[in-house]
Amino acid sequence: MRISAKGRYALAALIEIARQTQKGGIVSILSISGRLGISKIFLEQIAVSLKKSGMIQSTKGAKGGYQLAREARAISALDVLSAIENTLMEKADHTVSRQSPSSEAAMKTMVFDPLDQAIEDSLSGVTIQDLLEYADRQNSEQAFMLNI
């Protein structure tokens, strides 16, 4: 499975937005861009998709920016990637359905369908809250190591 840069950046941006939302704040695209080293224009495109999907909301004005539209625990990696990636859960093409329908059925039943289900289960089992907590633990451990 290959996740595009857009999908990976969407997850990273949502971690930053969740961090600020939990503090009661909002975060600008420019701020996220600076923290993550991602193009502002690219992030704006991602934000449009995330807003359309109902994961983030925007505030306009000089102190405007983005915040989560729902709790970080209620947004799964599957939600994010499904909103960003066009072909995330695209079904496998038929391989030999006309020449060998039994082989086609075997591959679908024993390989492709279980693989699709495993990916869906894995991505739906990870939330933005999980990612934020993991990232914060990593930051704490790095800070501790620097102090030693």
Side-chain angles (χ1 to χ4, degrees):
M1 177 177 178
R2 185 165 173 82
I3 306 293
S4 71
K6 194 173 182 181
R8 294 190 313 272
Y9 291 157
L11 287 167
L14 277 172
I15 293 169
E16 291 302 316
I17 294 170
R19 183 173 284 121
Q20 293 305 314
T21 299
Q22 287 183 345
K23 295 176 183 176
I26 59 175
V27 62
S28 70
I29 290 293
L30 193 57
S31 175
I32 297 169
S33 173
R35 276 192 216 131
L36 300 177
I38 301 170
S39 158
K40 178 183 172 269
I41 294 169
F42 198 43
L43 278 172
E44 287 170 344
Q45 293 171 0
I46 291 168
V48 167
S49 295
L50 295 174
K51 188 175 175 186
K52 280 182 184 177
S53 67
M55 285 180 250
I56 62 173
Q57 56 192 18
S58 62
T59 303
K60 296 187 184 222
K63 297 194 183 223
Y66 293 93
Q67 60 189 39
L68 294 182
R70 348 189 268 248
E71 290 187 22
R73 290 190 193 302
I75 303 171
S76 72
L78 179 63
D79 295 333
V80 177
L81 295 174
S82 293
I84 299 296
E85 302 286 346
N86 293 333
T87 60
L88 180 66
M89 298 307 288
E90 191 174 279
K91 297 295 179 193
D93 289 337
H94 293 287
T95 308
V96 291
S97 58
R98 288 186 186 177
Q99 293 83 0
S100 181
S102 59
S103 293
E104 185 71 34
M107 291 185 299
K108 181 180 181 331
T109 302
M110 299 183 74
V111 178
F112 303 130
D113 288 348
L115 179 60
D116 289 344
Q117 189 62 53
I119 291 169
E120 188 173 329
D121 291 347
S122 178
L123 293 175
S124 63
V126 177
T127 67
I128 296 301
Q129 183 68 38
D130 297 331
L131 294 171
L132 174 60
E133 289 171 1
Y134 186 91
D136 286 348
R137 275 194 310 274
Q138 293 297 309
N139 286 337
S140 294
E141 290 172 11
Q142 287 176 349
F144 177 74
M145 294 303 290
L146 291 174
N147 288 329
I148 292 181

Coordinates of all heavy atoms in Angstrom, one line a residue, residues 15-67:
I15 N -2.4 16.3 13.4 CA -1.7 16.2 14.7 C -1.5 17.6 15.3 O -1.8 17.8 16.4 CB -0.4 15.3 14.6 CG1 -0.7 13.9 14.3 CG2 0.3 15.4 16.0 CD1 0.5 13.1 13.9
E16 N -1.0 18.4 14.4 CA -0.7 19.8 14.9 C -2.0 20.6 15.2 O -2.0 21.3 16.2 CB 0.1 20.6 13.8 CG 1.5 20.1 13.7 CD 2.3 20.1 15.0 OE1 2.3 21.2 15.7 OE2 3.0 19.2 15.3
I17 N -3.0 20.4 14.4 CA -4.3 21.1 14.7 C -4.9 20.5 16.0 O -5.4 21.3 16.8 CB -5.2 20.9 13.5 CG1 -4.7 21.7 12.2 CG2 -6.6 21.4 13.8 CD1 -5.4 21.4 10.9
A18 N -4.8 19.2 16.2 CA -5.3 18.6 17.4 C -4.6 19.2 18.6 O -5.2 19.5 19.7 CB -5.2 17.1 17.3
R19 N -3.3 19.3 18.5 CA -2.5 19.8 19.6 C -3.0 21.2 20.0 O -3.2 21.5 21.2 CB -1.0 19.9 19.3 CG -0.1 20.3 20.4 CD 1.4 20.2 20.0 NE 1.8 18.8 20.1 CZ 2.2 18.0 19.1 NH1 2.4 18.6 17.9 NH2 2.6 16.8 19.3
Q20 N -3.2 22.1 19.1 CA -3.6 23.5 19.3 C -5.1 23.5 19.8 O -5.5 24.2 20.7 CB -3.5 24.3 18.1 CG -2.0 24.6 17.7 CD -1.2 25.1 18.9 OE1 -1.6 26.1 19.6 NE2 0.0 24.6 19.1
T21 N -5.9 22.6 19.2 CA -7.3 22.6 19.6 C -7.5 22.2 21.1 O -8.3 22.7 21.8 CB -8.1 21.6 18.7 OG1 -8.0 22.1 17.3 CG2 -9.6 21.5 19.1
Q22 N -6.7 21.2 21.5 CA -6.7 20.8 22.9 C -6.3 21.9 23.9 O -6.7 21.9 25.0 CB -5.8 19.6 23.1 CG -6.4 18.3 22.5 CD -5.6 17.1 22.8 OE1 -4.5 17.1 23.2 NE2 -6.3 15.9 22.6
K23 N -5.5 22.8 23.4 CA -5.1 24.0 24.2 C -6.1 25.1 24.1 O -5.9 26.2 24.7 CB -3.7 24.5 23.8 CG -2.6 23.5 24.0 CD -1.3 24.0 23.4 CE -0.2 23.0 23.6 NZ 1.0 23.5 22.9
G24 N -7.2 24.9 23.3 CA -8.2 25.9 23.2 C -7.9 26.9 22.1 O -8.6 27.9 22.0
G25 N -6.9 26.6 21.3 CA -6.5 27.6 20.3 C -6.8 27.1 18.9 O -7.4 26.1 18.6
I26 N -6.5 28.0 17.9 CA -6.6 27.7 16.5 C -5.2 27.8 15.9 O -4.3 28.5 16.5 CB -7.6 28.6 15.8 CG1 -7.3 30.0 15.9 CG2 -9.0 28.3 16.3 CD1 -8.2 30.9 15.2
V27 N -5.0 27.2 14.8 CA -3.6 27.2 14.2 C -3.7 27.6 12.8 O -4.6 27.2 12.0 CB -2.9 25.8 14.4 CG1 -3.7 24.7 13.7 CG2 -1.5 25.9 14.0
S28 N -2.8 28.4 12.3 CA -2.8 28.9 11.0 C -2.1 27.9 10.1 O -1.2 27.2 10.5 CB -2.2 30.3 10.8 OG -0.8 30.2 11.1
I29 N -2.4 28.0 8.8 CA -1.7 27.1 7.8 C -0.2 27.5 7.8 O 0.7 26.7 7.7 CB -2.3 27.3 6.4 CG1 -3.6 26.6 6.3 CG2 -1.4 26.8 5.3 CD1 -3.6 25.1 6.5
L30 N 0.1 28.8 7.9 CA 1.5 29.3 8.0 C 2.2 28.7 9.1 O 3.4 28.3 9.0 CB 1.5 30.8 8.0 CG 2.8 31.5 7.7 CD1 3.4 31.1 6.4 CD2 2.7 33.0 7.8
S31 N 1.6 28.6 10.3 CA 2.2 28.0 11.5 C 2.5 26.5 11.3 O 3.6 26.1 11.6 CB 1.3 28.2 12.7 OG 1.8 27.6 13.8
I32 N 1.5 25.8 10.7 CA 1.7 24.4 10.5 C 2.8 24.2 9.4 O 3.7 23.3 9.6 CB 0.4 23.7 10.0 CG1 -0.7 23.8 11.0 CG2 0.7 22.3 9.5 CD1 -2.0 23.4 10.5
S33 N 2.8 25.0 8.4 CA 3.8 25.0 7.4 C 5.2 25.1 8.0 O 6.2 24.4 7.6 CB 3.6 26.0 6.3 OG 4.6 26.1 5.4
G34 N 5.4 26.1 8.8 CA 6.7 26.3 9.5 C 7.1 25.2 10.4 O 8.3 24.8 10.4
R35 N 6.2 24.7 11.2 CA 6.5 23.6 12.1 C 6.9 22.3 11.4 O 7.7 21.5 11.9 CB 5.3 23.3 13.0 CG 5.3 24.2 14.2 CD 4.3 23.7 15.3 NE 3.7 24.9 15.8 CZ 2.5 25.2 16.0 NH1 1.6 24.2 15.7 NH2 2.0 26.3 16.5
L36 N 6.2 22.0 10.3 CA 6.4 20.7 9.6 C 7.2 20.8 8.4 O 7.6 19.8 7.8 CB 5.0 20.1 9.3 CG 4.0 19.9 10.4 CD1 2.7 19.3 9.9 CD2 4.6 18.9 11.4
G37 N 7.5 22.0 7.9 CA 8.4 22.1 6.7 C 7.6 21.7 5.5 O 8.2 21.1 4.6
I38 N 6.3 22.0 5.4 CA 5.5 21.6 4.3 C 5.0 22.9 3.6 O 4.7 23.9 4.2 CB 4.2 20.8 4.8 CG1 4.6 19.6 5.5 CG2 3.3 20.5 3.6 CD1 3.5 18.9 6.2
S39 N 5.0 22.9 2.3 CA 4.5 24.0 1.5 C 3.2 24.5 2.0 O 2.2 23.8 2.1 CB 4.4 23.6 0.0 OG 3.6 24.5 -0.7
K40 N 3.1 25.8 2.1 CA 1.8 26.5 2.6 C 0.7 26.2 1.5 O -0.4 25.9 1.9 CB 2.0 28.0 2.7 CG 0.8 28.8 3.1 CD 1.2 30.3 3.2 CE 0.0 31.1 3.3 NZ -0.7 31.5 2.1
I41 N 1.0 26.3 0.3 CA 0.0 26.1 -0.8 C -0.5 24.7 -0.8 O -1.7 24.4 -0.9 CB 0.6 26.4 -2.2 CG1 0.9 28.0 -2.2 CG2 -0.3 26.0 -3.3 CD1 1.7 28.4 -3.4
F42 N 0.4 23.7 -0.6 CA 0.0 22.3 -0.5 C -0.9 22.1 0.7 O -1.9 21.4 0.6 CB 1.3 21.4 -0.4 CG 1.1 20.0 -0.8 CD1 0.3 19.6 -1.8 CD2 1.7 19.0 0.0 CE1 0.1 18.3 -2.2 CE2 1.5 17.7 -0.3 CZ 0.7 17.3 -1.4
L43 N -0.5 22.7 1.9 CA -1.3 22.5 3.1 C -2.7 23.1 2.9 O -3.7 22.6 3.4 CB -0.6 23.2 4.3 CG 0.4 22.3 4.9 CD1 1.2 23.2 6.0 CD2 -0.2 21.1 5.6
E44 N -2.8 24.2 2.2 CA -4.1 24.8 1.9 C -5.0 23.9 1.1 O -6.2 23.8 1.4 CB -4.0 26.2 1.2 CG -3.4 27.3 2.1 CD -3.0 28.5 1.3 OE1 -2.8 28.5 0.1 OE2 -2.8 29.6 2.0
Q45 N -4.4 23.2 0.2 CA -5.2 22.2 -0.6 C -5.7 21.1 0.3 O -6.8 20.6 0.2 CB -4.4 21.6 -1.7 CG -4.0 22.6 -2.8 CD -3.0 22.1 -3.8 OE1 -2.5 20.9 -3.7 NE2 -2.6 22.9 -4.7
I46 N -4.8 20.6 1.2 CA -5.2 19.6 2.1 C -6.3 20.0 3.0 O -7.3 19.3 3.3 CB -3.9 19.1 2.9 CG1 -3.0 18.4 2.0 CG2 -4.3 18.2 4.1 CD1 -1.6 18.1 2.5
A47 N -6.2 21.3 3.5 CA -7.2 21.8 4.5 C -8.5 21.9 3.8 O -9.6 21.6 4.5 CB -6.7 23.2 4.9
V48 N -8.6 22.2 2.5 CA -9.9 22.2 1.8 C -10.6 20.9 1.9 O -11.8 20.7 2.2 CB -9.7 22.7 0.4 CG1 -11.0 22.5 -0.4 CG2 -9.3 24.2 0.3
S49 N -9.8 19.8 1.6 CA -10.4 18.5 1.7 C -10.8 18.1 3.1 O -11.8 17.5 3.3 CB -9.3 17.4 1.1 OG -9.1 17.7 -0.2
L50 N -10.0 18.4 4.1 CA -10.3 18.1 5.5 C -11.5 18.8 5.9 O -12.3 18.3 6.7 CB -9.1 18.4 6.4 CG -7.9 17.5 6.1 CD1 -6.7 17.9 7.0 CD2 -8.2 16.0 6.3
K51 N -11.6 20.1 5.5 CA -12.8 20.9 5.9 C -14.1 20.3 5.2 O -15.1 20.2 5.9 CB -12.6 22.3 5.5 CG -13.7 23.3 6.0 CD -13.3 24.7 5.7 CE -14.5 25.6 6.1 NZ -14.3 27.0 5.7
K52 N -14.0 20.0 3.9 CA -15.2 19.4 3.2 C -15.6 18.1 3.9 O -16.8 17.8 3.9 CB -14.8 19.1 1.8 CG -14.9 20.3 0.9 CD -14.6 19.9 -0.6 CE -14.5 21.1 -1.5 NZ -14.1 20.8 -2.8
S53 N -14.7 17.4 4.4 CA -15.0 16.1 5.1 C -15.5 16.2 6.5 O -15.8 15.3 7.2 CB -13.8 15.1 5.0 OG -12.8 15.6 5.8
G54 N -15.5 17.5 7.0 CA -16.0 17.7 8.4 C -15.0 17.5 9.5 O -15.5 17.4 10.6
M55 N -13.8 17.3 9.2 CA -12.8 17.1 10.2 C -12.2 18.3 10.9 O -11.9 18.3 12.1 CB -11.6 16.2 9.7 CG -12.0 14.8 9.5 SD -10.7 13.8 8.8 CE -11.3 13.5 7.2
I56 N -12.1 19.4 10.1 CA -11.7 20.7 10.6 C -12.6 21.8 10.3 O -13.5 21.6 9.4 CB -10.2 21.0 10.1 CG1 -10.2 21.2 8.6 CG2 -9.2 20.0 10.6 CD1 -8.9 21.7 8.1
Q57 N -12.5 22.9 11.0 CA -13.3 24.0 10.7 C -12.4 25.2 10.7 O -11.3 25.2 11.4 CB -14.5 24.2 11.7 CG -14.1 24.3 13.1 CD -15.3 24.2 14.1 OE1 -16.3 23.7 13.7 NE2 -15.1 24.6 15.3
S58 N -12.8 26.3 10.0 CA -11.9 27.4 9.9 C -12.5 28.7 10.6 O -13.8 28.8 10.7 CB -11.6 27.7 8.4 OG -12.8 28.1 7.7
T59 N -11.7 29.6 11.0 CA -12.0 30.9 11.5 C -11.3 31.9 10.6 O -10.1 31.8 10.4 CB -11.6 31.0 13.0 OG1 -12.2 30.0 13.7 CG2 -12.0 32.3 13.5
K60 N -12.1 32.8 10.1 CA -11.5 33.8 9.3 C -11.0 35.0 10.1 O -11.4 35.2 11.2 CB -12.5 34.3 8.2 CG -12.8 33.2 7.3 CD -13.7 33.7 6.1 CE -14.1 32.4 5.3 NZ -14.0 32.6 3.9
G61 N -10.1 35.8 9.5 CA -9.7 37.0 10.1 C -8.2 37.0 10.5 O -7.5 36.0 10.2
A62 N -7.7 38.1 11.1 CA -6.3 38.2 11.4 C -5.8 37.1 12.3 O -4.7 36.7 12.2 CB -6.1 39.6 12.0
K63 N -6.7 36.7 13.2 CA -6.3 35.6 14.1 C -6.9 34.3 13.8 O -7.2 33.5 14.6 CB -6.6 36.0 15.6 CG -5.8 37.2 16.0 CD -5.9 37.4 17.5 CE -5.1 38.7 17.8 NZ -4.3 38.6 19.0
G64 N -7.2 34.2 12.5 CA -8.0 33.0 12.0 C -7.1 31.8 11.8 O -5.8 31.9 12.0
G65 N -7.7 30.7 11.5 CA -6.9 29.5 11.3 C -7.9 28.3 11.4 O -9.1 28.4 11.1
Y66 N -7.4 27.2 11.8 CA -8.1 25.9 11.8 C -8.1 25.3 13.2 O -7.2 25.5 14.0 CB -7.5 24.9 10.8 CG -7.7 25.4 9.4 CD1 -6.7 26.1 8.7 CD2 -8.9 25.1 8.7 CE1 -6.9 26.6 7.4 CE2 -9.1 25.5 7.4 CZ -8.1 26.3 6.8 OH -8.2 26.7 5.5
Q67 N -9.2 24.6 13.5 CA -9.3 23.7 14.6 C -10.1 22.5 14.3 O -10.8 22.5 13.2 CB -9.9 24.5 15.8 CG -11.3 25.0 15.6 CD -11.8 25.9 16.7 OE1 -11.0 26.7 17.2 NE2 -13.0 25.7 17.0

